[in-house]
Amino acid sequence: MTTKLTVLATGGTIAGIAGNAIAHDYKAGEIGIEDYLERVGGLGLEAELSGTQIANIDSANIGPDVWGPLHAAAMAALKDPDCQGIIVTHGTDTLEETAFLLDLTLPASKPVVVVGAMRPADAVGYDGLRNFANAVRVASDPQAAGRGTLVVMGDRVFGARDVYKVRTRGTEAFRGFPRESVGLVTPASLEWFGAPWRSGTEALFGWPDALPEVAIVYVYAGLGGDGVLRQVGDNTRGIVVAGVGEGNMPESARAVLVALARDGMPVIRASRADEGLVDREPEDAANRFVAARALNPQKARILLQLLLAGGETDPAAIQRAFDGR
Ligand code: SIN
């Protein structure tokens, strides 16, 4: 039986045009969803696709203005008995943030798959058709439900919580941490590695009226207290530290961050390292710091924004949320 899937398009390179098959420069978010669905119509995919254009932009420009309508459209599709799964097309640059936000705020009752491409649609070796066909395969699989939001890039399926962009060029641009890919996919086959790692289908967070401002403080050799304060704005309600190593920072930077944390500002220690597991250290309790565990700074920021939007500022409760899963 043909699966009915809803495609929510936001732009990115998957909908990008260079005007020349070998050009380096191109414009992301050029092909509209109707045109895109016509292009994939020739692939013989066993799915009935209906599309909605949420935005058509470079994902560097994505944020709350797009996330709100995207979340609302995804919720409507989840409630629609005629929709069996959702595909979100997205630029790769901030794909991990949108995917993680959807993972935390959507019920896991139907498959939700985010997909992008590294080469524009008229480039030689365009990866967007293959990635899209793979996304259709995943979104059509009832076993994809209950796993939270998934990301398909290349022939691999990642959990939104794990996936992150590791390369600026080339089609193998994504990795997963701490779980690598959770499935292997081709347009004709799909293999899952193990059971879903989340339980239940309820959304983990309600959709907030607004996302509070959270600053990411980037740590580097020689960062001092003034340097920390220059990275923190007046509206900042929480801080994620992109620390060196396992969430470390120079003593002068630490002193300022401890003062802010003791004053009630939630401070999360994450890492700027590529695979950045950050555990709690003995001083964290006295400093009122939280350890980001396996979340990178940009994902830690999303989780902290949702916690703050729900009124949570207690470091112990925030730590429990970061420890989850
Ligand atoms: C973007 O993120 O919109 C541009 C880059 C890409 O999609 O690969």
Side-chain angles (χ1 to χ4, degrees):
M1 203 177 67
T2 307
T3 317
K4 292 183 177 171
L5 303 177
T6 299
V7 183
L8 304 176
T10 68
T13 298
I14 192 167
I17 290 286
N20 175 331
I22 56 169
H24 176 66
D25 292 323
Y26 65 94
K27 236 175 148 258
E30 286 287 288
I31 304 172
I33 185 61
E34 293 307 326
D35 186 1
Y36 197 79
L37 292 184
E38 252 184 68
R39 288 169 189 240
V40 297
L43 298 177
L45 302 172
E46 286 173 7
E48 195 180 311
L49 304 170
S50 68
T52 301
Q53 193 83 55
I54 304 294
N56 207 3
I57 57 176
D58 189 309
S59 79
N61 297 316
I62 271 184
D65 290 354
V66 175
W67 286 334
L70 175 61
H71 184 268
M75 286 298 283
L78 289 174
K79 286 183 191 141
D80 179 355
D82 259 354
C83 164
Q84 283 145 291
I86 298 172
I87 296 175
V88 177
T89 58
H90 201 287
T92 62
D93 286 351
T94 60
L95 183 149
E96 66 198 79
E97 282 150 272
T98 299
F100 187 46
L101 181 65
L102 295 177
D103 186 45
L104 293 171
T105 55
L106 289 178
S109 48
K110 294 177 186 175
V112 179
V113 180
V114 186
V115 64
M118 291 295 289
R119 295 178 182 143
D122 53 351
V124 61
Y126 173 52
D127 50 330
L129 285 184
R130 172 80 179 196
N131 291 354
F132 190 86
N134 285 345
V136 166
R137 182 72 185 82
V138 175
S140 303
D141 184 357
Q143 281 190 57
R147 293 176 187 270
T149 299
L150 298 165
V151 170
V152 169
M153 284 298 291
D155 287 356
R156 298 196 290 162
V157 190
F158 300 92
R161 194 176 183 100
D162 306 320
V163 76
Y164 64 112
K165 188 172 181 177
V166 292
R167 293 196 184 91
T168 57
R169 294 190 191 173
T171 53
E172 291 294 310
F174 282 78
R175 256 206 324 253
F177 179 77
R179 285 158 287 252
E180 246 303 329
S181 45
V182 296
L184 268 186
V185 60
T186 73
S189 66
L190 173 57
E191 191 171 339
W192 296 105
F193 307 139
W197 41 267
R198 65 166 280 169
S199 59
T201 57
E202 293 293 303
L204 302 174
F205 289 86
W207 186 253
D209 293 335
L211 287 167
E213 189 46 44
V214 168
I216 296 179
V217 171
Y218 199 90
V219 178
Y220 46 85
L223 175 70
D226 288 352
V228 170
L229 293 173
R230 274 197 298 276
Q231 297 183 59
V232 176
D234 289 343
N235 298 333
T236 299
R237 302 246 328 264
I239 295 173
V240 175
V241 182
V244 291
E246 199 167 332
N248 298 320
M249 61 206 84
E251 281 316 318
S252 52
R254 183 185 298 270
V256 167
L257 287 159
V258 167
L260 288 167
R262 289 188 180 153
D263 228 25
M265 175 87 78
V267 176
I268 315 296
R269 289 191 305 110
S271 176
R272 68 177 201 180
D274 195 20
E275 295 197 348
L277 186 69
V278 175
D279 265 332
R280 279 186 75 73
E281 56 186 18
E283 305 78 34
D284 279 345
N287 291 342
R288 295 178 68 79
F289 282 176
V290 171
R293 309 279 291 146
L295 292 183
N296 65 22
Q298 56 272 30
K299 286 189 186 167
R301 178 174 185 269
I302 298 271
L303 178 54
L304 181 57
Q305 285 184 298
L306 288 172
L307 289 161
L308 290 170
E312 191 58 81
T313 55
D314 172 41
I318 294 174
Q319 184 66 67
R320 281 195 293 279
F322 276 83
D323 288 343
R325 296 191 298 168

